[in-house]
């Protein structure tokens, strides 16, 4: 998400609907993972033979089922974190404060807001993209009110991001979101992870929606080759026909030697852990608008929705049980 490159892979049909027992996030969880040797590139997991899979037992370490506003419990921050030299006040307003509230390199056309944020000013604007109803969090992107366009750095949309950087991070384990994936021109929802030390890559894109391609879900790994500093990416797209209208689980299991992507807790792709995955990673969920590089999103135009919501039932993390 931070720097989305072209994916390697193709589109194919994954699980069609979530099973009833997938709605919850139990304290204990068991996943099935392939045991076959891995090559240097990612690959799809197709028509699995039960004899070629092993069970991985996990226990829950993080859980938010969004019964309350996400900014009430100190689990989430509504912006990217800065370094030690970044003054605390700069997160909440003033010239340059948009630096931690969008990723301009991607060509994004939104700014991430929250009720405390003041844009170019230091007085809170009271804008809240986060709504909770019946245990569902909606991150809503909407066109910037004309009267606030200048104070919000002339961004076309206001939207929201939640990150656990410096609040929760974990090395290895399973990370999962249960959500509906919104669509529309310029719509770019994502659930992803970065290294807690602030470096990039590595990056694990657990779920990205291509707004102009309903039901198209991308799952990708990014890493850097130390000798050349070249960025490498490998991943696949999966077709989930009702992704925009039904809740599905999207997850990744990070083991010392293998990264496995899951849809509705069924393994769909895997990759040998690339170089550079040595630090704990934190979770990010956001709804961006507009993209320069991520195909199938496009730039905001007159056909883009005036408002669009990324509906999230829960986000959970699990750690691998010791044997």
């Amino acid at each position: 998400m931070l720097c989305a490159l072209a994916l390697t892979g193709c589109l194919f049909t994954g699980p069609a609907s979530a099973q009833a027992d997938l709605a919850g996030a139990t304290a204990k969880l068991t996943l099935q993972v392939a045991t076959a040797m891995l090559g240097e590139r990612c690959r799809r997991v197709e028509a699995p033979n039960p004899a070629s899979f092993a069970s991985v037992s996990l226990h829950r370490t993080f859980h938010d089922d969004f019964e309350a506003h996400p900014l009430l419990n100190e689990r989430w921050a509504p912006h990217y974190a800065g370094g030690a030299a970044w003054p605390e006040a700069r997160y909440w307003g003033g010239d340059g404060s948009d630096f931690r509230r969008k990723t301009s390199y991607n060509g994004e056309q939104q700014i991430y807001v929250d009720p405390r944020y003041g844009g170019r000013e230091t007085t809170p604007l009271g804008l809240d993209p986060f709504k909770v109803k019946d245990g569902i969090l909606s991150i809503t992107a909407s066109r910037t009110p004309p009267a606030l366009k200048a104070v919000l750095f002339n961004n076309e949309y206001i939207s929201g991001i939640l990150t656990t950087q410096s609040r929760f991070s974990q090395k290895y384990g399973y990370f999962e979101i249960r959500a509906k994936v919104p669509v529309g021109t310029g719509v770019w929802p994502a659930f992803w992870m970065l290294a807690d030390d602030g470096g990039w890559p590595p990056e694990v894109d657990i779920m990205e929606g291509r707004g102009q391609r309903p039901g198209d879900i991308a799952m990708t790994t990014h890493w850097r080759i130390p000798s050349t500093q070249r960025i490498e990416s490998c991943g696949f797209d999966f077709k989930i026909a009702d992704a925009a209208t039904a809740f599905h689980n999207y997850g990744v299991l990070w083991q010392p030697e293998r990264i496995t992507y899951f849809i509705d807790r069924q393994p769909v792709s895997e990759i040998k852990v690339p170089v550079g995955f040595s630090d704990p990673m934190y979770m990010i969920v956001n709804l961006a608008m507009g993209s320069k590089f991520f195909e199938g999103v496009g730039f905001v135009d007159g056909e883009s929705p005036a408002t669009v919501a990324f509906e999230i039932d829960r986000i959970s993390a699990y750690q691998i049980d010791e044997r």
Side-chain angles (χ1 to χ4, degrees):
M1 181 69 187
L2 196 63
C3 181
L5 305 179
L7 300 183
T8 301
C10 58
L11 190 71
F12 71 97
T13 302
S17 62
Q19 301 173 19
D21 61 353
L22 296 176
T26 57
K28 297 283 188 178
L29 182 65
T30 301
L31 297 173
Q32 298 299 308
V33 180
T35 58
M37 295 292 291
L38 290 166
E40 295 303 316
R41 299 300 292 174
C42 58
R43 66 187 181 192
R44 295 178 289 174
V45 177
E46 298 181 282
N49 177 357
S52 66
F53 278 68
S55 296
V56 177
S57 298
L58 307 112
H59 59 276
R60 198 174 67 198
T61 52
F62 178 97
H63 180 64
D64 199 336
D65 56 7
F66 300 111
E67 296 295 336
H69 193 284
L71 300 183
L72 290 178
N73 54 28
E74 298 298 321
R75 290 175 178 162
W76 302 97
H79 49 71
Y80 295 110
W86 186 261
E88 174 68 15
R90 290 287 296 280
Y91 288 117
W92 310 115
D95 286 338
S97 63
D98 59 330
F99 177 62
R100 298 298 179 184
R101 292 181 175 269
K102 67 181 300 181
T103 305
S104 299
Y105 178 82
N106 286 334
E108 296 173 20
Q109 295 171 276
Q110 89 295 321
I111 185 168
Y112 297 127
V113 299
D114 67 86
R116 290 180 60 186
Y117 186 57
R120 293 186 187 275
E121 307 298 331
T122 55
T123 302
L125 296 173
L127 299 170
D128 193 352
F130 309 111
K131 301 293 185 294
V132 172
K133 182 179 180 180
D134 298 328
I136 304 298
L137 167 67
S138 294
I139 302 178
T140 301
S142 56
R143 290 192 180 270
T144 306
L148 295 179
K149 199 79 174 288
V151 76
L152 289 172
F153 302 92
N154 296 310
N155 288 283
E156 295 295 323
Y157 278 76
I158 56 175
S159 188
I161 188 172
L162 296 171
T163 167
T164 66
Q165 187 175 11
S166 301
R167 300 175 184 220
F168 174 84
S169 62
Q170 184 172 287
K171 186 172 183 178
Y172 307 136
Y174 180 63
F175 307 83
E176 182 181 76
I177 187 172
R178 181 172 176 82
K180 295 179 183 178
V181 183
V183 297
T185 299
V187 178
W188 187 11
F191 176 56
W192 47 303
M193 300 196 304
L194 292 174
D196 203 45
D197 67 356
W200 182 87
E203 176 178 333
V204 176
D205 293 325
I206 303 169
M207 184 284 294
E208 292 183 279
R210 303 181 189 270
Q212 292 177 314
R213 303 176 187 173
D216 190 344
I217 305 299
M219 308 176 104
T220 318
T221 309
H222 306 272
W223 67 98
R224 186 189 305 273
I225 303 299
S227 59
T228 63
Q229 294 300 298
R230 177 183 173 86
I231 305 299
E232 297 284 349
S233 303
C234 197
F236 298 96
D237 281 29
F238 302 89
K239 188 68 175 179
I240 310 298
D242 62 350
T245 57
F247 286 101
H248 289 273
N249 295 339
Y250 305 95
V252 67
L253 176 62
W254 173 23
Q255 297 173 281
E257 302 296 332
R258 186 185 307 253
I259 294 172
T260 307
Y261 292 87
F262 290 79
I263 298 177
D264 290 332
R265 295 185 183 160
Q266 298 298 312
V268 293
S269 66
E270 59 185 4
I271 185 173
K272 181 179 178 180
V273 175
V275 64
F277 280 71
S278 56
D279 292 308
M281 302 190 84
Y282 66 95
M283 298 179 290
I284 306 165
V285 60
N286 64 291
L287 177 54
M289 294 296 295
S291 175
K292 188 187 304 182
F293 302 111
F294 193 61
E295 294 182 5
V297 170
F299 288 111
V300 166
D301 61 20
E303 299 299 316
S304 298
T307 63
V308 59
F310 186 9
E311 295 181 80
I312 302 158
D313 183 18
R314 57 173 169 75
I315 293 175
S316 306
Y318 291 78
Q319 184 54 277
I320 302 168
D321 290 338
E322 295 183 6
R323 295 182 178 179

